[in-house]
Short mmCIF file of all heavy atoms in Angstrom, two decimals:
data_model
loop_
_atom_site.label_atom_id
_atom_site.label_comp_id
_atom_site.label_asym_id
_atom_site.label_seq_id
_atom_site.Cartn_x
_atom_site.Cartn_y
_atom_site.Cartn_z
N ASP L 74 56.02 -27.92 23.70
CA ASP L 74 55.06 -29.03 23.57
C ASP L 74 53.81 -28.78 24.40
O ASP L 74 52.69 -29.07 23.96
CB ASP L 74 55.73 -30.34 24.01
CG ASP L 74 56.84 -30.77 23.05
OD1 ASP L 74 56.86 -30.24 21.92
OD2 ASP L 74 57.67 -31.61 23.44
N LEU L 75 53.99 -28.26 25.62
CA LEU L 75 52.83 -27.97 26.46
C LEU L 75 51.97 -26.86 25.84
O LEU L 75 50.73 -26.90 25.94
CB LEU L 75 53.29 -27.55 27.86
CG LEU L 75 53.89 -28.66 28.72
CD1 LEU L 75 54.36 -28.10 30.05
CD2 LEU L 75 52.89 -29.77 28.97
N ARG L 76 52.60 -25.91 25.20
CA ARG L 76 51.81 -24.84 24.55
C ARG L 76 50.99 -25.37 23.38
O ARG L 76 49.86 -24.93 23.17
CB ARG L 76 52.76 -23.74 24.05
CG ARG L 76 53.32 -22.87 25.17
CD ARG L 76 54.38 -21.92 24.63
NE ARG L 76 55.00 -21.15 25.70
CZ ARG L 76 56.12 -20.44 25.55
NH1 ARG L 76 56.73 -20.42 24.36
NH2 ARG L 76 56.62 -19.77 26.56
N THR L 77 51.56 -26.34 22.63
CA THR L 77 50.79 -26.90 21.51
C THR L 77 49.65 -27.79 22.01
O THR L 77 48.60 -27.86 21.37
CB THR L 77 51.71 -27.73 20.60
OG1 THR L 77 52.40 -28.70 21.38
CG2 THR L 77 52.73 -26.83 19.91
N LEU L 78 49.86 -28.49 23.13
CA LEU L 78 48.81 -29.37 23.66
C LEU L 78 47.70 -28.60 24.35
O LEU L 78 46.59 -29.12 24.49
CB LEU L 78 49.43 -30.37 24.65
CG LEU L 78 50.31 -31.48 24.07
CD1 LEU L 78 50.97 -32.25 25.18
CD2 LEU L 78 49.50 -32.40 23.19
N MET L 79 47.99 -27.38 24.81
CA MET L 79 47.01 -26.60 25.57
C MET L 79 46.65 -25.35 24.75
O MET L 79 47.40 -24.35 24.77
CB MET L 79 47.58 -26.22 26.93
CG MET L 79 47.94 -27.43 27.77
SD MET L 79 49.04 -27.05 29.14
CE MET L 79 48.02 -25.99 30.12
N PRO L 80 45.54 -25.36 24.02
CA PRO L 80 45.19 -24.19 23.19
C PRO L 80 44.81 -22.96 24.02
O PRO L 80 44.79 -21.85 23.47
CB PRO L 80 44.00 -24.69 22.36
CG PRO L 80 43.43 -25.82 23.14
CD PRO L 80 44.57 -26.46 23.86
N HIS L 81 44.50 -23.14 25.30
CA HIS L 81 44.13 -22.00 26.15
C HIS L 81 45.34 -21.39 26.84
O HIS L 81 45.19 -20.64 27.81
CB HIS L 81 43.10 -22.44 27.19
CG HIS L 81 43.58 -23.51 28.12
ND1 HIS L 81 43.85 -24.79 27.69
CD2 HIS L 81 43.85 -23.50 29.44
CE1 HIS L 81 44.26 -25.51 28.72
NE2 HIS L 81 44.28 -24.75 29.78
N SER L 82 46.55 -21.70 26.36
CA SER L 82 47.77 -21.18 26.99
C SER L 82 48.26 -19.94 26.25
O SER L 82 47.92 -19.70 25.09
CB SER L 82 48.86 -22.25 26.99
OG SER L 82 49.23 -22.58 25.67
N LYS L 83 49.08 -19.17 26.96
CA LYS L 83 49.72 -17.99 26.39
C LYS L 83 51.21 -18.04 26.69
O LYS L 83 51.65 -18.69 27.64
CB LYS L 83 49.12 -16.71 26.98
CG LYS L 83 47.71 -16.43 26.50
CD LYS L 83 47.25 -15.07 26.95
CE LYS L 83 45.87 -14.73 26.40
NZ LYS L 83 45.43 -13.37 26.80
N ALA L 84 51.99 -17.32 25.88
CA ALA L 84 53.44 -17.31 26.03
C ALA L 84 53.91 -15.91 26.42
O ALA L 84 53.20 -14.91 26.22
CB ALA L 84 54.11 -17.75 24.73
N ASP L 85 55.11 -15.87 26.95
CA ASP L 85 55.72 -14.60 27.34
C ASP L 85 57.23 -14.75 27.27
O ASP L 85 57.76 -15.87 27.18
CB ASP L 85 55.29 -14.20 28.76
CG ASP L 85 55.60 -12.74 29.03
OD1 ASP L 85 55.76 -11.99 28.06
OD2 ASP L 85 55.67 -12.35 30.22
N THR L 86 57.93 -13.62 27.30
CA THR L 86 59.39 -13.65 27.25
C THR L 86 59.96 -14.22 28.55
O THR L 86 59.28 -14.25 29.58
CB THR L 86 59.94 -12.24 27.03
OG1 THR L 86 59.44 -11.40 28.07
CG2 THR L 86 59.53 -11.72 25.67
N LYS L 87 61.23 -14.63 28.50
CA LYS L 87 61.87 -15.22 29.67
C LYS L 87 62.06 -14.16 30.76
O LYS L 87 62.33 -13.00 30.47
CB LYS L 87 63.23 -15.80 29.29
CG LYS L 87 63.13 -17.01 28.37
CD LYS L 87 64.50 -17.51 28.01
CE LYS L 87 64.42 -18.69 27.04
NZ LYS L 87 65.75 -19.15 26.63
N MET L 88 61.92 -14.61 32.00
CA MET L 88 62.05 -13.70 33.13
C MET L 88 63.50 -13.71 33.62
O MET L 88 64.15 -14.75 33.64
CB MET L 88 61.11 -14.12 34.25
CG MET L 88 60.89 -13.03 35.28
SD MET L 88 59.79 -13.54 36.59
CE MET L 88 60.84 -14.57 37.56
N ASP L 89 63.97 -12.55 34.06
CA ASP L 89 65.33 -12.44 34.56
C ASP L 89 65.44 -13.15 35.90
O ASP L 89 64.51 -13.14 36.72
CB ASP L 89 65.70 -10.96 34.71
CG ASP L 89 67.20 -10.79 34.83
OD1 ASP L 89 67.91 -11.82 34.83
OD2 ASP L 89 67.66 -9.63 34.92
N ARG L 90 66.60 -13.76 36.14
CA ARG L 90 66.78 -14.53 37.37
C ARG L 90 66.88 -13.63 38.61
O ARG L 90 66.68 -14.09 39.73
CB ARG L 90 68.04 -15.40 37.26
CG ARG L 90 67.83 -16.65 36.46
CD ARG L 90 69.06 -17.52 36.42
NE ARG L 90 70.07 -16.98 35.51
CZ ARG L 90 71.20 -17.61 35.22
NH1 ARG L 90 71.47 -18.76 35.78
NH2 ARG L 90 72.07 -17.08 34.38
N LYS L 91 67.20 -12.34 38.41
CA LYS L 91 67.31 -11.44 39.55
C LYS L 91 65.95 -11.02 40.09
O LYS L 91 65.83 -10.60 41.24
CB LYS L 91 68.11 -10.20 39.14
CG LYS L 91 69.56 -10.50 38.79
CD LYS L 91 70.29 -9.23 38.39
CE LYS L 91 71.74 -9.55 38.00
NZ LYS L 91 72.46 -8.32 37.56
N ASP L 92 64.90 -11.11 39.27
CA ASP L 92 63.56 -10.69 39.70
C ASP L 92 62.99 -11.67 40.72
O ASP L 92 63.28 -12.87 40.68
CB ASP L 92 62.62 -10.60 38.49
CG ASP L 92 63.06 -9.50 37.53
OD1 ASP L 92 63.80 -8.61 37.96
OD2 ASP L 92 62.67 -9.57 36.35
N GLN L 93 62.16 -11.14 41.60
CA GLN L 93 61.48 -11.98 42.59
C GLN L 93 60.31 -12.70 41.94
O GLN L 93 59.77 -12.26 40.92
CB GLN L 93 60.99 -11.12 43.76
CG GLN L 93 62.09 -10.39 44.50
CD GLN L 93 63.04 -11.36 45.20
OE1 GLN L 93 62.62 -12.42 45.65
NE2 GLN L 93 64.31 -10.99 45.29
N LEU L 94 59.89 -13.82 42.58
CA LEU L 94 58.85 -14.64 41.97
C LEU L 94 57.47 -13.99 42.02
O LEU L 94 56.62 -14.27 41.18
CB LEU L 94 58.80 -16.01 42.66
CG LEU L 94 59.99 -16.94 42.37
CD1 LEU L 94 59.87 -18.20 43.18
CD2 LEU L 94 60.08 -17.28 40.90
N PHE L 95 57.23 -13.12 43.02
CA PHE L 95 55.88 -12.53 43.11
C PHE L 95 55.62 -11.56 41.95
O PHE L 95 54.48 -11.13 41.75
CB PHE L 95 55.70 -11.81 44.46
CG PHE L 95 56.67 -10.69 44.72
CD1 PHE L 95 56.46 -9.43 44.21
CD2 PHE L 95 57.80 -10.92 45.50
CE1 PHE L 95 57.36 -8.40 44.45
CE2 PHE L 95 58.70 -9.89 45.74
CZ PHE L 95 58.48 -8.63 45.22
N VAL L 96 56.66 -11.20 41.18
CA VAL L 96 56.46 -10.35 40.00
C VAL L 96 55.62 -11.09 38.95
O VAL L 96 54.95 -10.47 38.12
CB VAL L 96 57.83 -9.93 39.42
CG1 VAL L 96 57.67 -9.04 38.19
CG2 VAL L 96 58.64 -9.21 40.49
N ILE L 97 55.63 -12.44 39.00
CA ILE L 97 54.88 -13.23 38.02
C ILE L 97 53.38 -12.94 38.12
O ILE L 97 52.66 -13.00 37.11
CB ILE L 97 55.18 -14.72 38.21
CG1 ILE L 97 56.68 -14.97 38.04
CG2 ILE L 97 54.41 -15.58 37.23
CD1 ILE L 97 57.12 -16.37 38.37
N ASN L 98 52.90 -12.63 39.32
CA ASN L 98 51.47 -12.30 39.47
C ASN L 98 51.10 -11.08 38.64
O ASN L 98 50.02 -11.04 38.02
CB ASN L 98 51.15 -12.05 40.95
CG ASN L 98 51.35 -13.30 41.79
OD1 ASN L 98 51.11 -14.41 41.34
ND2 ASN L 98 51.82 -13.13 43.01
N GLU L 99 51.98 -10.08 38.60
CA GLU L 99 51.71 -8.88 37.80
C GLU L 99 51.77 -9.21 36.30
O GLU L 99 50.99 -8.67 35.51
CB GLU L 99 52.71 -7.79 38.15
CG GLU L 99 52.65 -7.35 39.61
CD GLU L 99 53.72 -6.33 39.94
OE1 GLU L 99 54.42 -5.89 39.00
OE2 GLU L 99 53.85 -5.98 41.12
N VAL L 100 52.72 -10.10 35.92
CA VAL L 100 52.81 -10.49 34.52
C VAL L 100 51.54 -11.21 34.08
O VAL L 100 51.01 -10.98 32.98
CB VAL L 100 54.05 -11.39 34.30
CG1 VAL L 100 54.12 -11.87 32.85
CG2 VAL L 100 55.33 -10.65 34.66
N CYS L 101 51.02 -12.10 34.94
CA CYS L 101 49.78 -12.81 34.62
C CYS L 101 48.60 -11.85 34.50
O CYS L 101 47.71 -12.02 33.65
CB CYS L 101 49.48 -13.86 35.69
SG CYS L 101 50.64 -15.24 35.70
N GLU L 102 48.60 -10.83 35.35
CA GLU L 102 47.51 -9.84 35.30
C GLU L 102 47.57 -9.05 33.99
O GLU L 102 46.53 -8.76 33.38
CB GLU L 102 47.62 -8.91 36.50
CG GLU L 102 46.43 -7.98 36.65
CD GLU L 102 46.54 -7.11 37.89
OE1 GLU L 102 47.48 -7.31 38.68
OE2 GLU L 102 45.68 -6.22 38.05
N MET L 103 48.79 -8.71 33.55
CA MET L 103 48.93 -7.97 32.28
C MET L 103 48.52 -8.83 31.09
O MET L 103 47.96 -8.34 30.11
CB MET L 103 50.37 -7.49 32.12
CG MET L 103 50.72 -6.33 33.01
SD MET L 103 52.33 -5.62 32.62
CE MET L 103 53.42 -6.92 33.15
N LYS L 104 48.81 -10.13 31.17
CA LYS L 104 48.45 -11.06 30.09
C LYS L 104 47.02 -11.58 30.20
O LYS L 104 46.60 -12.41 29.39
CB LYS L 104 49.42 -12.26 30.09
CG LYS L 104 50.82 -11.93 29.60
CD LYS L 104 50.84 -11.80 28.10
CE LYS L 104 52.24 -11.56 27.58
NZ LYS L 104 52.30 -11.48 26.11
N ASN L 105 46.30 -11.14 31.22
CA ASN L 105 44.90 -11.55 31.44
C ASN L 105 44.81 -13.07 31.66
O ASN L 105 43.94 -13.75 31.10
CB ASN L 105 44.03 -11.12 30.27
CG ASN L 105 42.55 -11.16 30.62
OD1 ASN L 105 42.19 -11.21 31.81
ND2 ASN L 105 41.70 -11.16 29.62
N CYS L 106 45.74 -13.63 32.46
CA CYS L 106 45.77 -15.06 32.76
C CYS L 106 45.50 -15.27 34.25
O CYS L 106 45.95 -14.48 35.08
CB CYS L 106 47.12 -15.67 32.40
SG CYS L 106 47.50 -15.60 30.64
N ASN L 107 44.77 -16.34 34.56
CA ASN L 107 44.50 -16.65 35.96
C ASN L 107 45.18 -17.93 36.43
O ASN L 107 45.00 -18.36 37.57
CB ASN L 107 42.99 -16.76 36.21
CG ASN L 107 42.33 -17.69 35.22
OD1 ASN L 107 43.00 -18.30 34.38
ND2 ASN L 107 41.02 -17.81 35.31
N LYS L 108 45.97 -18.59 35.55
CA LYS L 108 46.78 -19.75 35.93
C LYS L 108 48.17 -19.57 35.34
O LYS L 108 48.35 -18.86 34.35
CB LYS L 108 46.17 -21.06 35.41
CG LYS L 108 44.77 -21.36 35.93
CD LYS L 108 44.80 -21.75 37.38
CE LYS L 108 43.41 -22.14 37.87
NZ LYS L 108 42.46 -21.03 37.85
N CYS L 109 49.15 -20.25 35.95
CA CYS L 109 50.53 -20.05 35.48
C CYS L 109 51.32 -21.34 35.65
O CYS L 109 51.19 -22.04 36.66
CB CYS L 109 51.19 -18.93 36.27
SG CYS L 109 52.89 -18.63 35.77
N ILE L 110 52.13 -21.66 34.62
CA ILE L 110 53.14 -22.72 34.69
C ILE L 110 54.48 -22.05 34.44
O ILE L 110 54.73 -21.55 33.34
CB ILE L 110 52.89 -23.83 33.65
CG1 ILE L 110 51.53 -24.49 33.88
CG2 ILE L 110 53.98 -24.87 33.70
CD1 ILE L 110 51.18 -25.55 32.85
N PHE L 111 55.32 -22.04 35.47
CA PHE L 111 56.60 -21.34 35.39
C PHE L 111 57.73 -22.34 35.58
O PHE L 111 57.75 -23.10 36.56
CB PHE L 111 56.67 -20.25 36.47
CG PHE L 111 57.98 -19.52 36.50
CD1 PHE L 111 58.37 -18.70 35.45
CD2 PHE L 111 58.84 -19.64 37.59
CE1 PHE L 111 59.57 -18.03 35.49
CE2 PHE L 111 60.04 -18.98 37.63
CZ PHE L 111 60.41 -18.15 36.57
N PHE L 112 58.68 -22.37 34.63
CA PHE L 112 59.85 -23.24 34.70
C PHE L 112 61.04 -22.42 35.20
O PHE L 112 61.41 -21.42 34.58
CB PHE L 112 60.16 -23.83 33.32
CG PHE L 112 59.15 -24.81 32.83
CD1 PHE L 112 58.12 -24.41 31.99
CD2 PHE L 112 59.20 -26.14 33.22
CE1 PHE L 112 57.18 -25.31 31.54
CE2 PHE L 112 58.26 -27.05 32.78
CZ PHE L 112 57.25 -26.63 31.94
N GLU L 113 61.61 -22.89 36.30
CA GLU L 113 62.74 -22.19 36.93
C GLU L 113 63.98 -23.07 36.83
O GLU L 113 63.96 -24.23 37.27
CB GLU L 113 62.42 -21.88 38.39
CG GLU L 113 63.48 -21.05 39.09
CD GLU L 113 63.12 -20.79 40.54
OE1 GLU L 113 62.12 -21.35 41.01
OE2 GLU L 113 63.85 -20.03 41.19
N ALA L 114 65.05 -22.55 36.23
CA ALA L 114 66.30 -23.30 36.06
C ALA L 114 67.34 -22.81 37.05
O ALA L 114 67.47 -21.60 37.28
CB ALA L 114 66.82 -23.13 34.63
N LYS L 115 68.07 -23.76 37.63
CA LYS L 115 69.15 -23.43 38.57
C LYS L 115 70.38 -24.26 38.22
O LYS L 115 70.26 -25.47 37.94
CB LYS L 115 68.73 -23.70 40.00
CG LYS L 115 67.69 -22.73 40.53
CD LYS L 115 67.38 -22.96 41.99
CE LYS L 115 66.36 -21.96 42.50
NZ LYS L 115 66.04 -22.20 43.93
N LYS L 116 71.54 -23.61 38.23
CA LYS L 116 72.84 -24.25 37.97
C LYS L 116 72.91 -24.87 36.58
O LYS L 116 73.74 -25.75 36.33
CB LYS L 116 73.17 -25.31 39.02
CG LYS L 116 73.38 -24.74 40.40
CD LYS L 116 73.87 -25.81 41.35
CE LYS L 116 74.17 -25.21 42.72
NZ LYS L 116 74.67 -26.22 43.64
N LYS L 117 72.00 -24.49 35.67
CA LYS L 117 71.96 -24.99 34.29
C LYS L 117 71.81 -26.51 34.20
O LYS L 117 72.09 -27.11 33.18
CB LYS L 117 73.22 -24.56 33.52
CG LYS L 117 73.31 -23.06 33.35
CD LYS L 117 74.48 -22.68 32.48
CE LYS L 117 74.54 -21.17 32.29
NZ LYS L 117 75.67 -20.77 31.44
N GLN L 118 71.32 -27.12 35.29
CA GLN L 118 71.11 -28.57 35.26
C GLN L 118 69.88 -29.01 36.04
O GLN L 118 69.34 -30.08 35.78
CB GLN L 118 72.35 -29.29 35.79
CG GLN L 118 72.78 -28.86 37.18
CD GLN L 118 74.06 -29.54 37.61
OE1 GLN L 118 74.44 -30.55 37.03
NE2 GLN L 118 74.72 -29.01 38.62
N ASP L 119 69.42 -28.20 36.99
CA ASP L 119 68.24 -28.53 37.80
C ASP L 119 67.05 -27.73 37.29
O ASP L 119 67.15 -26.51 37.07
CB ASP L 119 68.48 -28.23 39.28
CG ASP L 119 69.67 -29.00 39.82
OD1 ASP L 119 69.94 -30.11 39.31
OD2 ASP L 119 70.33 -28.50 40.74
N LEU L 120 65.90 -28.40 37.11
CA LEU L 120 64.70 -27.76 36.59
C LEU L 120 63.57 -27.88 37.61
O LEU L 120 63.28 -28.97 38.10
CB LEU L 120 64.27 -28.41 35.27
CG LEU L 120 62.99 -27.85 34.62
CD1 LEU L 120 63.17 -26.39 34.23
CD2 LEU L 120 62.60 -28.68 33.42
N TYR L 121 62.95 -26.74 37.94
CA TYR L 121 61.83 -26.69 38.87
C TYR L 121 60.61 -26.14 38.14
O TYR L 121 60.73 -25.27 37.27
CB TYR L 121 62.15 -25.80 40.08
CG TYR L 121 63.31 -26.29 40.91
CD1 TYR L 121 64.61 -25.86 40.65
CD2 TYR L 121 63.12 -27.19 41.94
CE1 TYR L 121 65.67 -26.32 41.40
CE2 TYR L 121 64.18 -27.65 42.71
CZ TYR L 121 65.46 -27.21 42.42
OH TYR L 121 66.51 -27.66 43.17
#
Side-chain angles (χ1 to χ4, degrees):
D74 292 343
L75 290 178
R76 286 173 184 166
T77 54
L78 289 173
M79 300 163 64
H81 61 293
S82 64
K83 289 188 176 182
D85 195 20
T86 56
K87 293 179 182 177
M88 197 180 76
D89 196 358
R90 281 183 284 185
K91 294 180 182 178
D92 295 340
Q93 299 295 327
L94 290 176
F95 60 83
V96 180
I97 301 173
N98 296 325
E99 299 177 6
V100 177
C101 292
E102 188 177 354
M103 286 189 291
K104 288 284 184 178
N105 196 17
C106 296
N107 51 3
K108 299 288 184 296
C109 180
I110 299 177
F111 177 67
F112 291 96
E113 185 181 6
K115 289 184 179 179
K116 294 187 176 182
K117 295 186 179 180
Q118 55 184 342
D119 302 330
L120 179 63
Y121 298 91

